[in-house]
Amino acid sequence: MSSTTIAADRPGNADPAVTPFTVTFLIRRFDPEVDEEPRWQDFDVEMYATDRVLDALHKIKWEQDGSLTFRRSCAHGICGSDAMRINGRNRLACKTLIKDLDISKPIYVEAIKGLPLEKDLIVDMEPFFASFREVQPFLIANKAPEGGKERLQTVAQRERFDDTTKCILCAACTSSCPVFWTDGQYFGPAAIVNAHRFIFDSRDEDAKVRLDILNDKEGVWRCRTTFNCSEACPRGIQVTQAIAEVKQAIMRGKP
Amino acid sequence: MPQQSAGTLTAAKKTTTSRRPAGTLYRGREGMWSWVLHRITGVAIFFFLLVHILDTALIRVSPEAYNVVIGTYQTPLMGLGEVALVGAIVFHAFNGLRIILIDFWAGGVKHQKLMFYVVIALWVITMLAFTPRHLINVFSH
Amino acid sequence: MSATTIEAPRSPARQAPKRGVNWEKWGWIYMRASGVVLVVLIFGHLFFNLVLGEGISGINFGFVGGKLADPFWQWWDVAMLWLALIHGGNGMRTLINDYATLPMTRGVLKSAVLAAVVVLIVLGTLVVFTFDPCPPGSPADLLPSFCAAQ
Amino acid sequence: MTQSSSFDSADHTIVDGVHYHQFDVVIVGAGGAGMRAAIEAGPHAKTAVISKLYPTRSHTGAAQGGMAAALANVEEDNWEWHTFDTIKGGDYLVDQDAAEILAKEAIDAVLDLENMGLPFNRTPEGKIDQRRFGGHTRDHGKAPVRRACYAADRTGHMILQTLYQNCVKHGINFFNEYYVLDLVMTNVDGVDQPSGVVAYDLASGELHVFQAKAIIFATGGFGKIYKTTSNAHTLTGDGVGIIWRKGLPLEDMEFFQFHPTGLAGLGILLTEGARGEGAILRNASGERFMERYAPTIKDLAPRDIVARCMVQEVAEGRGAGPHKDYVYLDCTHLGAEVLETKLPDITEFARTYLGVDPVTEPVPVMPTAHYAMGGIPTNVAAEVLRDNNTVVPGLYAAGECACVSVHGSNRLGTNSLLDINVFGKRAGQNAVEYSKTAEFTPLPADPAAAVRGLIDSIRTSTGTERVSVLRKELQDMMDAKAQVFRTDESLAEVTQTIHGLRERYKNVAVQDKGHRFNTDLLEAVELGFLLDLAEVVVFSARNRKESRGGHMRDDYPNRDDETYMKHTMAYLSGDPHSADAADHIRLDWKPVTITRYQPMERKY
Ligand SMILES: Cc1cc2nc3c(=O)[nH]c(=O)nc-3n(C[C@H](O)[C@H](O)[C@H](O)COP(=O)(O)OP(=O)(O)OC[C@H]3O[C@@H](n4cnc5c(N)ncnc54)[C@H](O)[C@@H]3O)c2cc1C
Ligand code: HEM
Ligand code: SF4
Ligand code: F3S
Ligand code: FES
């Protein structure tokens, strides 16, 4: 696997990276068929500085305990499968390098918070996607484009919503939000980000509906600007900024 | 179909699924901790305000009654409590302004961390000015 | 060159809220507007009462009565009373919505906050506008200095 | 349960613990091809999309550079040139009627996506912007042309999101994290007809049988037969493997594309769009070596050629780094502005994963296993073929798992995103048409029996072999012996290894014996498919004693049109455990459709 490639194959490594060292991982396990409560379990893994937390999880699963369960696919931060809480912060395991963590202490890994825990690092994503679907995250444009061609859009108009098109629906933001943790009813930053992506798209004709949806009790007004979402977003989306822009648009009554 | 087959599932499904993970404390940054403080101070001020209105209302009852109650505010212990209260109000007020700037000033989101440290700095300055003055008043009588 | 035509979307699962006054939005705006005014009012209040003169030790019926005899301070305090209580009450409502998940508890707590806010606003306003700074029969040394002149 | 919208329990019955569903159209796979088909099928027929991943996790989202279409938005272009480039790029092993359809329908495919909301980069006039890409030329090879429509270096991400958004709009039924593990065939009048699929629900471990009139396979590639690959961990070729095990043929499996610019040692892709924007490949001494190999289009030569040149540079000692085992992709002259706006993601990949900043330093790169040109043979209507001419009624395939063949022996960059849209759409439309007149084929008794047997045997196995060990041996071997350069000897060695691994696989055990979210178990199942597919790749490769496109034989370095101007068709024809692959794999040929362009020597 590319992920377990030893550092010696890798270019650009400073020397310290070539010697492996032992890292302790504390992982919050939960087997729904056995456990009543989640429990912490520790694993020692040989790692290189340039390895990622996902590599460690793979090493544990493949060499020590096959029952360790987590989602992953692309292994380079574009599919959004492996958001988890690493040392108390939401991160993608495949984008978190060992060298960026303090390995003198154990590394804590647990599932993201606020969504129902299913098994080990897996949570039920359905409530998350349900919120996403509710903001009508698709282009609504009733007029046919001229001449059966593309709808025109200036470079500046395209730039307006560029940031929020990057979302990979990993839920790192929503599950880092203290307001979302409270009762799980809040739409959450990810849904707002995806609404923003269409509200500010010059081709879209139904920004009003989305603004109405987010003007709801569980909508943008529940955001308390705690910025956890922006800190957590692996795509570097300025989530709180997007939420602020939606709030402004609601107050203006138009995008 | 045989019992151990993949198609059959053990019954306990629903009872064990939906549980909210607790786990470690989330390590948020400036934004989260400022909110935690804002929330705590807001609640504290609210409860103080309830009491404060009631005690002030005693001026309608009689000067004596009012003076008795206000007298308790002038004890050294309460004096320290007042420092805490003013500290809470000052933080809540400055951080409230920070939140308002985040919401309405275009550069607010970008500079929220800086503004948090400004809030802390202003809070320290205000408290350095207020505390000695107040404690002298409390302890010199 | 025909591009795929796309039919109307399914109806949203959560109905878009009906038009009308949106309390969440106005509550949010109110928190900010009142916050700005409150900074002035509360800081003024604290400065006048705790910093000037003898600070807390100087506060007694005479001091407060003297202040509240002045319409300027009357309106100052009433404004502070209303703005702060509604601000604080609305803030408490947010907290209750966040942390009290049972509908029953939510209802009870919110009613309690509402009751407290209403009662105190009424009480406070009445006190400020109806009280007499020089109640007859009270010892003169407890009263504001101007009472003697009456 | 994790399906998205209107699925409710009243829709299905449970018999002996197995859930039974009925849909007119069942689509396996929710990548670009699957969801493009769903958008066609959903509104007109009762449709289900079954996917082992949440749709937005599919690997289409990893595609970066662009999607080709001769829109001529920025310079003169037309679909005939695009057709020619596709055919030449595929080293003439392309079925030319299919390539023509691909190039012609490309224009609508891009406009469809734009109209669905895809945020393409724009020209100053507000039209869809286009960039250069390897092998795409004006007027039959005169010079590179701007043909790739793109959205920064996130084109695939935008396509995947846009298609998912439109599936939400249409309220498509998704069954997410359901692993399809078998195609159910019913013997009707002596002929096996597809009647449904069997899926394993990851969340519960329960089995679901989906009876369907029309079934579309859109399960993507199988890059995980290699160690160094741009493909996701989940691209294990399950769909192709299922078809294989049914005795249906696989086409042109020896042609696997190695993308020149994978991050060295990691395989994470840096798009060809980087070279489209002007980045240059250099060897250790800083020489722009592609000038020597392809004087006209240099770094923008097709991938097979560039990959080969890179491996050659390294083999001849001109590689860079402490082990002289990679070359450089030099973007430094592009400037921070271009990198941050047009290539932001790959800039970040290099920074995150290698700690190299492309703005100031050249990035170490080496070829990485990228794309399967071969797969399930289909005609241009996306119907799956049972042999060279006969279709399997009601069975369709589209996307990377299918072989139409528009890519021949080497796919041009940006033609795959195009492929999934053009043939995904066709598959969807044709499946609906078919389902309107067809009847349900009755299911056999206990259609889930085979899958249940497979799952149970792995779950209860007390063997001693570990999945990860076997998989690593397979992948290491494939990288070492069946990569960019192959010889009869190296391929024979891999065949031996695979046979050994297959024997050991019988003895594989999993530690997780549970029912819920048992990914341990599924990795074991996936390894089974990897072994099957690797064997077909290697066996087909041994049989093609020539070099063409992505298939480079050191021992037969020339293209041999006389003997090999034809597609390989491989069939499973015996017990896969037999020691000699020839005892269980039967190879056949299928002619290449040639319409306008006679094979010529391929020079750039
Ligand atoms: C890094 C990278 C960059 C690329 N860049 C470009 C580019 O710039 N331009 C271009 O044209 N092409 C590019 N390609 C190629 C192109 O992206 C892919 O070939 C194409 O996206 C494949 O789409 P697909 O729909 O066939 O498969 P995928 O998107 O891989 O989807 C496969 C689907 O099948 C499902 N599935 C698989 N097995 C099962 C099963 N057993 N049961 C149920 N569901 C299953 C999966 O869940 C998934 O939803 C790139 C590829 C990679 C890897
Ligand atoms: C001094 C000036 C004040 C300012 C500038 C101010 C500002 C604010 C602002 C902007 C908010 C909204 C926070 C958000 O939406 O995230 C808020 C919340 C709150 N305020 Fe104030 N406030 C002030 C005084 C008070 C007073 C006097 C009280 C008590 C009565 C109070 C109690 C609260 C409470 C309970 C909240 C809710 C906290 C939360 O939801 O997290 N505030 N304040
Ligand atoms: S906004 Fe960022 S953190 Fe949130 S879901 Fe999208 S990519 Fe993930
Ligand atoms: S974390 Fe939550 S409170 Fe707002 S700023 Fe982000 S949504
Ligand atoms: S595995 Fe795809 S984002 Fe981490």
Side-chain angles (χ1 to χ4, degrees), chain A residues 223-225, chain B residues 35 38-39 42-43 45-46 49 89 92-93 96-97 99-100, chain C residues 28 31-32 35-36 38-39 42-43 84-85 87-88 91-92 94-95:
Chain A
C223 166
R224 309 243 79 81
T225 54
Chain B
W35 163 78
H38 195 83
R39 198 155 250 206
V43 176
I45 304 167
F46 181 75
L49 185 63
I89 293 176
H92 189 95
L97 294 177
I99 295 172
I100 293 166
Chain C
W28 185 88
M31 292 305 271
R32 277 129 190 94
V36 175
L38 278 171
V39 174
I42 293 180
F43 277 42
L85 272 177
H87 176 106
M92 291 304 288
T94 314
L95 263 113

Short mmCIF file of all heavy atoms in Angstrom, two decimals, chain A residues 223-225, chain B residues 35 38-39 42-43 45-46 49 89 92-93 96-97 99-100, chain C residues 28 31-32 35-36 38-39 42-43 84-85 87-88 91-92 94-95, ligand 2:
data_model
loop_
_atom_site.label_atom_id
_atom_site.label_comp_id
_atom_site.label_asym_id
_atom_site.label_seq_id
_atom_site.Cartn_x
_atom_site.Cartn_y
_atom_site.Cartn_z
N CYS A 223 -25.84 29.99 15.04
CA CYS A 223 -24.36 30.04 15.06
C CYS A 223 -23.91 31.09 16.05
O CYS A 223 -24.35 32.22 16.03
CB CYS A 223 -23.83 30.37 13.67
SG CYS A 223 -22.10 30.84 13.70
N ARG A 224 -23.00 30.71 16.95
CA ARG A 224 -22.50 31.64 17.97
C ARG A 224 -21.06 32.04 17.67
O ARG A 224 -20.29 32.34 18.56
CB ARG A 224 -22.58 31.01 19.36
CG ARG A 224 -23.92 30.43 19.72
CD ARG A 224 -24.55 31.15 20.89
NE ARG A 224 -25.15 32.40 20.49
CZ ARG A 224 -26.35 32.50 19.92
NH1 ARG A 224 -27.08 31.45 19.70
NH2 ARG A 224 -26.82 33.67 19.58
N THR A 225 -20.69 31.97 16.40
CA THR A 225 -19.34 32.35 15.95
C THR A 225 -18.22 31.78 16.83
O THR A 225 -17.35 32.52 17.29
CB THR A 225 -19.18 33.88 15.85
OG1 THR A 225 -19.53 34.47 17.10
CG2 THR A 225 -20.05 34.45 14.77
N TRP B 35 -16.28 32.14 23.47
CA TRP B 35 -17.72 31.88 23.54
C TRP B 35 -18.10 31.25 24.89
O TRP B 35 -19.09 31.63 25.51
CB TRP B 35 -18.15 30.98 22.38
CG TRP B 35 -19.47 30.33 22.57
CD1 TRP B 35 -20.70 30.91 22.40
CD2 TRP B 35 -19.73 28.98 22.97
NE1 TRP B 35 -21.69 30.01 22.68
CE2 TRP B 35 -21.13 28.82 23.03
CE3 TRP B 35 -18.91 27.89 23.29
CZ2 TRP B 35 -21.72 27.61 23.38
CZ3 TRP B 35 -19.49 26.70 23.64
CH2 TRP B 35 -20.88 26.56 23.69
N HIS B 38 -18.05 33.96 27.30
CA HIS B 38 -19.16 34.89 27.06
C HIS B 38 -20.45 34.33 27.64
O HIS B 38 -21.24 35.04 28.26
CB HIS B 38 -19.30 35.12 25.56
CG HIS B 38 -20.15 36.30 25.21
ND1 HIS B 38 -19.65 37.58 25.19
CD2 HIS B 38 -21.47 36.41 24.89
CE1 HIS B 38 -20.61 38.43 24.87
NE2 HIS B 38 -21.73 37.74 24.68
N ARG B 39 -20.63 33.06 27.43
CA ARG B 39 -21.83 32.39 27.90
C ARG B 39 -21.87 32.39 29.44
O ARG B 39 -22.87 32.79 30.04
CB ARG B 39 -21.82 30.96 27.37
CG ARG B 39 -23.12 30.30 27.39
CD ARG B 39 -23.26 29.21 26.38
NE ARG B 39 -24.21 29.67 25.36
CZ ARG B 39 -24.94 28.84 24.64
NH1 ARG B 39 -24.83 27.55 24.78
NH2 ARG B 39 -25.79 29.33 23.76
N GLY B 42 -22.39 35.85 30.74
CA GLY B 42 -23.76 36.31 30.46
C GLY B 42 -24.74 35.79 31.50
O GLY B 42 -25.55 36.55 32.05
N VAL B 43 -24.65 34.50 31.79
CA VAL B 43 -25.56 33.90 32.76
C VAL B 43 -25.33 34.49 34.15
O VAL B 43 -26.27 34.86 34.86
CB VAL B 43 -25.38 32.37 32.80
CG1 VAL B 43 -26.27 31.77 33.88
CG2 VAL B 43 -25.68 31.76 31.46
N ILE B 45 -24.12 37.39 34.94
CA ILE B 45 -24.63 38.76 35.02
C ILE B 45 -26.16 38.75 35.12
O ILE B 45 -26.76 39.51 35.88
CB ILE B 45 -24.22 39.59 33.78
CG1 ILE B 45 -22.71 39.57 33.60
CG2 ILE B 45 -24.70 41.02 33.92
CD1 ILE B 45 -22.28 40.09 32.24
N PHE B 46 -26.77 37.85 34.37
CA PHE B 46 -28.24 37.80 34.39
C PHE B 46 -28.75 37.55 35.80
O PHE B 46 -29.62 38.26 36.30
CB PHE B 46 -28.74 36.72 33.44
CG PHE B 46 -30.23 36.61 33.38
CD1 PHE B 46 -30.98 37.57 32.69
CD2 PHE B 46 -30.90 35.56 34.01
CE1 PHE B 46 -32.37 37.47 32.63
CE2 PHE B 46 -32.28 35.47 33.95
CZ PHE B 46 -33.02 36.42 33.26
N LEU B 49 -28.24 40.47 37.97
CA LEU B 49 -29.16 41.55 37.64
C LEU B 49 -30.51 41.33 38.32
O LEU B 49 -31.11 42.27 38.86
CB LEU B 49 -29.33 41.63 36.12
CG LEU B 49 -30.18 42.77 35.59
CD1 LEU B 49 -29.52 44.11 35.94
CD2 LEU B 49 -30.36 42.67 34.08
N ILE B 89 -18.65 41.50 33.70
CA ILE B 89 -19.34 42.46 32.83
C ILE B 89 -18.39 43.02 31.79
O ILE B 89 -18.72 43.11 30.61
CB ILE B 89 -19.94 43.60 33.67
CG1 ILE B 89 -21.05 43.06 34.56
CG2 ILE B 89 -20.47 44.71 32.76
CD1 ILE B 89 -21.64 44.09 35.51
N HIS B 92 -17.67 40.43 29.17
CA HIS B 92 -18.85 40.21 28.33
C HIS B 92 -19.07 41.40 27.39
O HIS B 92 -19.38 41.23 26.22
CB HIS B 92 -20.07 39.99 29.24
CG HIS B 92 -21.29 39.54 28.52
ND1 HIS B 92 -21.65 38.22 28.40
CD2 HIS B 92 -22.27 40.23 27.87
CE1 HIS B 92 -22.77 38.12 27.72
NE2 HIS B 92 -23.19 39.33 27.38
N ALA B 93 -18.85 42.58 27.91
CA ALA B 93 -19.07 43.78 27.10
C ALA B 93 -18.06 43.86 25.96
O ALA B 93 -18.44 44.03 24.80
CB ALA B 93 -18.97 45.01 27.98
N GLY B 96 -18.55 41.09 23.62
CA GLY B 96 -19.80 41.36 22.88
C GLY B 96 -19.51 42.27 21.69
O GLY B 96 -19.98 42.04 20.58
N LEU B 97 -18.70 43.31 21.94
CA LEU B 97 -18.35 44.20 20.84
C LEU B 97 -17.55 43.45 19.78
O LEU B 97 -17.73 43.67 18.58
CB LEU B 97 -17.54 45.39 21.37
CG LEU B 97 -18.34 46.33 22.29
CD1 LEU B 97 -17.43 47.44 22.82
CD2 LEU B 97 -19.53 46.93 21.56
N ILE B 99 -17.87 40.30 19.04
CA ILE B 99 -18.84 39.51 18.27
C ILE B 99 -19.56 40.40 17.26
O ILE B 99 -19.75 40.02 16.09
CB ILE B 99 -19.85 38.83 19.21
CG1 ILE B 99 -19.13 37.81 20.11
CG2 ILE B 99 -20.97 38.17 18.42
CD1 ILE B 99 -20.02 37.24 21.20
N ILE B 100 -19.93 41.58 17.71
CA ILE B 100 -20.66 42.49 16.81
C ILE B 100 -19.77 42.87 15.63
O ILE B 100 -20.22 42.92 14.48
CB ILE B 100 -21.13 43.73 17.60
CG1 ILE B 100 -22.20 43.29 18.60
CG2 ILE B 100 -21.67 44.80 16.66
CD1 ILE B 100 -22.52 44.32 19.66
N TRP C 28 -31.67 38.06 17.25
CA TRP C 28 -30.24 38.15 16.98
C TRP C 28 -29.82 39.60 16.80
O TRP C 28 -28.82 40.06 17.36
CB TRP C 28 -29.96 37.34 15.71
CG TRP C 28 -28.53 37.19 15.33
CD1 TRP C 28 -27.67 36.23 15.76
CD2 TRP C 28 -27.79 38.02 14.43
NE1 TRP C 28 -26.44 36.40 15.17
CE2 TRP C 28 -26.48 37.49 14.35
CE3 TRP C 28 -28.09 39.15 13.68
CZ2 TRP C 28 -25.50 38.05 13.56
CZ3 TRP C 28 -27.12 39.71 12.88
CH2 TRP C 28 -25.82 39.16 12.82
N MET C 31 -29.92 41.49 20.14
CA MET C 31 -28.78 41.23 21.02
C MET C 31 -27.64 42.18 20.71
O MET C 31 -26.93 42.65 21.60
CB MET C 31 -28.29 39.79 20.89
CG MET C 31 -29.23 38.73 21.40
SD MET C 31 -29.72 38.96 23.09
CE MET C 31 -28.43 38.08 23.95
N ARG C 32 -27.44 42.42 19.43
CA ARG C 32 -26.32 43.26 19.03
C ARG C 32 -26.61 44.73 19.26
O ARG C 32 -25.77 45.46 19.81
CB ARG C 32 -25.97 42.98 17.56
CG ARG C 32 -25.08 41.77 17.45
CD ARG C 32 -25.55 40.73 16.46
NE ARG C 32 -24.74 39.51 16.61
CZ ARG C 32 -25.07 38.47 17.37
NH1 ARG C 32 -26.20 38.48 18.05
NH2 ARG C 32 -24.30 37.43 17.47
N GLY C 35 -26.69 45.40 22.85
CA GLY C 35 -25.34 45.26 23.39
C GLY C 35 -24.56 46.55 23.27
O GLY C 35 -23.93 47.00 24.24
N VAL C 36 -24.63 47.18 22.09
CA VAL C 36 -23.87 48.41 21.88
C VAL C 36 -24.34 49.48 22.86
O VAL C 36 -23.52 50.14 23.52
CB VAL C 36 -24.05 48.90 20.43
CG1 VAL C 36 -23.37 50.24 20.24
CG2 VAL C 36 -23.49 47.88 19.46
N LEU C 38 -25.93 49.05 25.63
CA LEU C 38 -25.67 48.64 27.02
C LEU C 38 -24.24 48.93 27.45
O LEU C 38 -23.99 49.23 28.62
CB LEU C 38 -25.96 47.14 27.20
CG LEU C 38 -27.42 46.78 27.43
CD1 LEU C 38 -27.62 45.27 27.36
CD2 LEU C 38 -27.89 47.30 28.79
N VAL C 39 -23.31 48.83 26.52
CA VAL C 39 -21.93 49.12 26.89
C VAL C 39 -21.87 50.52 27.49
O VAL C 39 -21.31 50.73 28.57
CB VAL C 39 -20.99 49.03 25.67
CG1 VAL C 39 -19.58 49.46 26.06
CG2 VAL C 39 -20.96 47.62 25.13
N ILE C 42 -24.10 50.66 30.88
CA ILE C 42 -23.56 49.93 32.03
C ILE C 42 -22.22 50.53 32.46
O ILE C 42 -21.97 50.71 33.65
CB ILE C 42 -23.42 48.43 31.70
CG1 ILE C 42 -24.80 47.83 31.53
CG2 ILE C 42 -22.65 47.70 32.80
CD1 ILE C 42 -24.82 46.36 31.21
N PHE C 43 -21.36 50.84 31.49
CA PHE C 43 -20.08 51.44 31.88
C PHE C 43 -20.29 52.77 32.57
O PHE C 43 -19.62 53.09 33.55
CB PHE C 43 -19.14 51.56 30.66
CG PHE C 43 -18.41 50.29 30.36
CD1 PHE C 43 -19.07 49.06 30.43
CD2 PHE C 43 -17.06 50.29 30.02
CE1 PHE C 43 -18.40 47.88 30.16
CE2 PHE C 43 -16.38 49.11 29.75
CZ PHE C 43 -17.05 47.91 29.83
N ALA C 84 -31.26 45.56 29.33
CA ALA C 84 -30.47 44.47 29.91
C ALA C 84 -31.34 43.26 30.21
O ALA C 84 -30.95 42.11 29.94
CB ALA C 84 -29.77 44.93 31.17
N LEU C 85 -32.54 43.51 30.73
CA LEU C 85 -33.38 42.35 31.07
C LEU C 85 -33.83 41.60 29.82
O LEU C 85 -33.84 40.36 29.79
CB LEU C 85 -34.58 42.79 31.90
CG LEU C 85 -34.30 42.82 33.40
CD1 LEU C 85 -35.52 43.34 34.14
CD2 LEU C 85 -33.95 41.42 33.91
N HIS C 87 -32.31 41.64 26.95
CA HIS C 87 -31.08 41.04 26.40
C HIS C 87 -30.72 39.76 27.18
O HIS C 87 -30.52 38.70 26.59
CB HIS C 87 -29.96 42.09 26.50
CG HIS C 87 -28.60 41.62 26.07
ND1 HIS C 87 -28.03 42.01 24.89
CD2 HIS C 87 -27.69 40.81 26.69
CE1 HIS C 87 -26.83 41.45 24.78
NE2 HIS C 87 -26.59 40.72 25.87
N GLY C 88 -30.69 39.90 28.46
CA GLY C 88 -30.32 38.75 29.28
C GLY C 88 -31.37 37.65 29.16
O GLY C 88 -31.04 36.46 29.06
N GLY C 91 -30.97 35.93 25.98
CA GLY C 91 -29.77 35.09 26.06
C GLY C 91 -30.05 33.81 26.82
O GLY C 91 -29.64 32.72 26.39
N MET C 92 -30.78 33.93 27.91
CA MET C 92 -31.12 32.74 28.69
C MET C 92 -31.99 31.79 27.88
O MET C 92 -31.86 30.57 27.96
CB MET C 92 -31.84 33.13 29.98
CG MET C 92 -30.97 33.85 30.99
SD MET C 92 -29.51 32.94 31.46
CE MET C 92 -30.21 31.63 32.44
N THR C 94 -31.83 31.32 24.70
CA THR C 94 -30.91 30.59 23.82
C THR C 94 -30.27 29.42 24.55
O THR C 94 -30.21 28.31 24.04
CB THR C 94 -29.78 31.53 23.37
OG1 THR C 94 -30.36 32.76 22.97
CG2 THR C 94 -28.99 30.94 22.25
N LEU C 95 -29.81 29.71 25.74
CA LEU C 95 -29.16 28.66 26.52
C LEU C 95 -30.09 27.51 26.81
O LEU C 95 -29.72 26.34 26.73
CB LEU C 95 -28.67 29.25 27.85
CG LEU C 95 -27.21 29.66 27.85
CD1 LEU C 95 -27.06 31.15 27.98
CD2 LEU C 95 -26.51 28.95 28.97
C1 HEM E 2 -22.35 45.35 28.51
C2 HEM E 2 -22.78 45.28 27.32
C3 HEM E 2 -23.19 43.99 26.69
C4 HEM E 2 -22.85 43.63 25.44
C5 HEM E 2 -22.01 44.42 24.43
C6 HEM E 2 -23.43 42.36 25.21
C7 HEM E 2 -23.34 41.70 24.02
C8 HEM E 2 -23.88 40.48 23.80
C9 HEM E 2 -23.97 39.86 22.54
C10 HEM E 2 -23.49 40.45 21.21
C11 HEM E 2 -24.54 38.67 22.71
C12 HEM E 2 -24.86 37.67 21.62
C13 HEM E 2 -23.82 36.60 21.57
C14 HEM E 2 -24.06 35.68 20.43
O1 HEM E 2 -25.09 35.73 19.77
O2 HEM E 2 -23.15 34.88 20.19
C15 HEM E 2 -24.79 38.51 24.09
C16 HEM E 2 -25.33 37.38 24.67
C17 HEM E 2 -25.74 37.32 25.97
N1 HEM E 2 -25.72 38.34 26.87
FE1 HEM E 2 -24.89 40.12 26.61
N2 HEM E 2 -24.09 41.92 26.30
C18 HEM E 2 -24.00 42.91 27.25
C19 HEM E 2 -24.57 42.92 28.51
C20 HEM E 2 -25.27 41.85 29.04
C21 HEM E 2 -25.96 41.88 30.29
C22 HEM E 2 -26.06 43.05 31.22
C23 HEM E 2 -26.47 40.62 30.46
C24 HEM E 2 -27.27 40.10 31.59
C25 HEM E 2 -28.41 40.49 31.89
C26 HEM E 2 -26.11 39.85 29.34
C27 HEM E 2 -26.46 38.54 29.19
C28 HEM E 2 -26.25 37.84 28.06
C29 HEM E 2 -26.60 36.46 27.88
C30 HEM E 2 -27.20 35.53 28.92
C31 HEM E 2 -26.26 36.14 26.59
C32 HEM E 2 -26.43 34.77 25.90
C33 HEM E 2 -25.09 34.09 25.81
C34 HEM E 2 -25.06 32.99 24.75
O3 HEM E 2 -26.06 32.74 24.07
O4 HEM E 2 -24.01 32.41 24.61
N3 HEM E 2 -25.38 40.62 28.48
N4 HEM E 2 -24.37 39.63 24.75
#
